[in-house]
Amino acid sequence: MNQPDEPPPFLGTWKRVYTAVLIYVAVLISILYLFSAATAP
Amino acid sequence: MKPLDWVVLFGWLTFLVSYGLWRGRKSGTVNDYLLAGRTMPWYAMGLSIMATQASAITFISTTGQSYVDGMRFVQFYFGLPVAMVILSATAVPIFHRAKVYTAYEYLENRFDAKTRALVSGIFLIQRGLAAGLALYAPAVVLSVILGWSDQTTTILMGSLVVLYTTTGGIKAITWADVQQMAVIFVALILALFMAIHLMPQQVSFLDAVTLAGAFGKLKAVDTNFDWNNRYNLWSGLIGGMFLALAYFGCDQSQVQRYLTGKSVAQSRLSLLFNAVAKIPMQFFILFIGAMVFVLFMFVKPPVIFHPVEMGRITQSTEFKPVEDRYNAAFEARKQAAQHYLDAKHRGETLPADLEALRSTQKAFDTARQDGAKLVDKVRGSSGFNDTNYIFLSFVTNYLPAGVVGLIIAVIFSAAMSAVSGEINSLATVTVIDVYKRHFRKSATDRHYLWASRIATVFWGVYAVIFAGRGGGFGALIEAVNMIGSLFYGGMLGVFVLAFFFPKVGANGAFVGVLAGEAAIFAANRFTSISFLWYNVIGCLVVLATGVLVSKIETAKYPR
């Protein structure tokens, strides 16, 4: 029998946690892109 | 290495092995030995996953790669967090609820015994190859520093790993990994600090960043799509995601980590921790390589970073003119760099200054290539590559006593954590998917526990023997990823079929894996497509073939 999903320790639901991680990655890649552009001669 | 370095190195190794043995002392059942009794908290699993992946190769080769090729390698990890989210939502709950020891055990529940045997066989082949390579990396370290042979070093490392892995099982490995990651973080920060600290006084941190940027070393994101370009945004996001899906979703060395979790939530958190931390960590390691590149613009490095080969070519009568050209090229580059920085400070940088700076780099590279050619001539070989010695050269020649020992200890730790995880997972698959499934179906728990220990020793010895052939590979990290990519596409495809295609049957899955592997090997043999795409190609071919075969079967033999 399937056990019910244990909730995450923050943000309430796993869906919100996954969304937060994906937004974080998008921001991180954008920062790296800006870093590349800023350090290019 | 100074006496203090030896104290740090051997003190750390003794502590690590003792700590692993102590934490794993109560592994008295197969469940304890292979899955830590499913009691692990998320942070221990998360750090262990990170430690297993961050092998010695990561430190030796990634920094060297950044020195030579810049930071574009970081894009390789862009798809990893996306893969972690997908796996947290799919594979983690499925594997946990199936109560399996191995990912391949699940395939028999879903398909049949032959599919399980095929995929576990593929795992044993590819992970067995990778285990040897992961052990070879620290052999490089010691052979450089101590003048020991690769074989001596490999045997020493292999023995330590086998000792605590065989005795304590995955509990020993996981808790040892937690300690190792803590020291790894400290050593990385120290290495970066020292690289910046050792720059000449007139070169500030921002100047170092400016110079690294001028040579394109800090270009971390390349948005141009090209099938043949190994690292760009798209190959990283798509190819990297497929590779990470396969690695963390189908490779027992990773799956076994999160199977030890005390709940689905804890296992999910361990993967999401990696999703968040991996890219910054790789960026940091690559940045160290870029800073070492700038440091070596002002502090003259040896012509060849491999000290043994360097010693050999200095005996050659042809070395003097090579050295003279190298010294002149170094001085010209140093002056051009200083001139470029002075112009920058005055706000007067012209395209001609940048062009002049880059042309001195070309001359410097040519001088170094002449040195490499001389190595080949003296050795009677071809294609000499010293990328893996760049970081070690920096550590051993420029860092203070104590820090050298610590960083060497970190490289050892990283190798040991990667190899211990690999031989443990190889032993698990050998016992659960091969021995217990096909040879001894019902024996006591104690019997399987001892079978697991014997299998661990076997794979440890195998890795040591295979490591003796590691020198034939170029930049090590690419070799490891390349081997993985030859096999992961087929493995990933069959798990995607299992999770998301309920109508696909056992024969479709089996033929699909064979077709996927054939497609990957054909792509490798007959095209120049970058290896990151192999996982995508292999997975898609498995899916298409699996669905097609199942449709044909259903049409021929309607249920």
Side-chain angles (χ1 to χ4, degrees), chain B residues 459-517:
Chain B
W459 281 109
V461 172
Y462 167 86
V464 168
I465 293 169
F466 182 80
R469 302 185 62 80
F473 294 87
L476 290 167
I477 194 153
E478 291 195 1
V480 168
N481 290 326
M482 175 82 169
I483 288 172
S485 292
L486 286 176
F487 297 99
Y488 279 152
M491 290 166 79
L492 177 62
V494 77
F495 278 97
V496 174
L497 281 178
F499 293 163
F500 302 110
F501 293 79
K503 288 184 181 169
V504 172
N507 290 335
F510 187 80
V511 176
V513 175
L514 293 177
E517 282 303 315

Side-chain angles (χ1 to χ4, degrees), chain B residues 118-387:
Chain B
L118 176 65
V119 179
S120 52
I122 291 173
F123 168 77
L124 290 173
I125 293 169
Q126 71 94 3
R127 191 42 65 190
L129 293 172
L133 265 181
L135 197 56
Y136 171 70
V140 174
V141 180
L142 269 193
S143 66
V144 166
I145 293 167
L146 306 174
W148 293 359
S149 70
D150 287 359
Q151 281 174 328
T152 310
T153 322
T154 310
I155 290 168
L156 174 70
M157 289 294 307
S159 308
L160 289 176
V161 168
V162 168
L163 176 66
Y164 75 86
T165 308
T166 307
T167 314
I170 200 161
K171 213 183 273 182
I173 295 169
T174 304
W175 286 112
D177 285 350
V178 172
Q179 304 299 319
Q180 291 177 41
M181 279 314 294
V183 179
I184 283 170
F185 285 134
V186 171
L188 285 176
I189 291 166
L190 273 175
L192 179 62
F193 173 79
M194 291 308 299
I196 295 165
H197 177 73
L198 289 167
M199 303 263 182
Q201 260 193 338
Q202 75 273 17
V203 180
S204 68
F205 174 65
L206 279 180
D207 289 338
V209 170
T210 302
L211 281 174
F215 286 104
K217 301 292 178 191
L218 300 183
K219 188 176 182 183
V221 181
D222 179 358
T223 52
N224 294 318
F225 180 84
D226 180 357
W227 284 102
N228 303 320
N229 180 2
R230 197 163 276 185
Y231 307 117
N232 58 57
L233 177 65
W234 312 109
S235 68
L237 271 176
I238 302 168
M241 182 189 76
F242 272 78
L243 180 58
L245 277 173
Y247 182 54
F248 293 98
C250 320
D251 189 314
Q252 180 65 16
S253 70
Q254 296 302 316
V255 174
Q256 198 166 342
R257 289 291 178 288
Y258 56 80
L259 284 178
T260 64
K262 56 183 166 190
S263 68
V264 172
Q266 294 291 309
S267 296
R268 279 175 167 159
L269 288 173
S270 71
L271 289 185
L272 295 176
F273 165 73
N274 275 272
V276 171
K278 190 68 189 175
I279 296 174
M281 184 182 161
Q282 287 299 328
F283 177 86
F284 196 79
I285 295 171
L286 287 162
F287 192 69
I288 293 171
M291 288 299 103
V292 171
F293 171 81
V294 177
L295 173 68
F296 283 167
M297 295 186 87
F298 297 98
V299 178
K300 194 168 70 184
V303 181
I304 295 297
F305 287 106
H306 192 304
V308 177
E309 299 301 346
M310 180 64 194
R312 218 175 268 171
I313 60 169
T314 51
Q315 309 295 320
S316 165
T317 51
E318 293 173 53
F319 179 66
K320 186 75 175 71
V322 170
E323 188 185 33
D324 289 344
R325 281 199 300 278
Y326 176 79
N327 288 341
F330 171 77
E331 286 302 328
R333 187 181 66 160
K334 186 177 168 182
Q335 281 177 17
Q338 195 57 60
H339 177 76
Y340 183 78
L341 285 180
D342 291 342
K344 266 271 176 195
H345 292 156
R346 293 193 305 269
E348 296 171 357
T349 323
L350 297 169
D353 295 324
L354 183 65
E355 199 46 51
L357 182 63
R358 287 181 175 167
S359 69
T360 60
Q361 179 63 36
K362 272 184 198 152
F364 184 78
D365 288 340
T366 306
R368 244 177 64 73
Q369 280 161 15
D370 289 345
K373 280 179 196 161
L374 187 56
V375 171
D376 281 335
K377 195 172 178 187
V378 170
R379 288 199 311 188
S381 62
S382 64
F384 173 75
N385 183 345
D386 63 352
T387 305

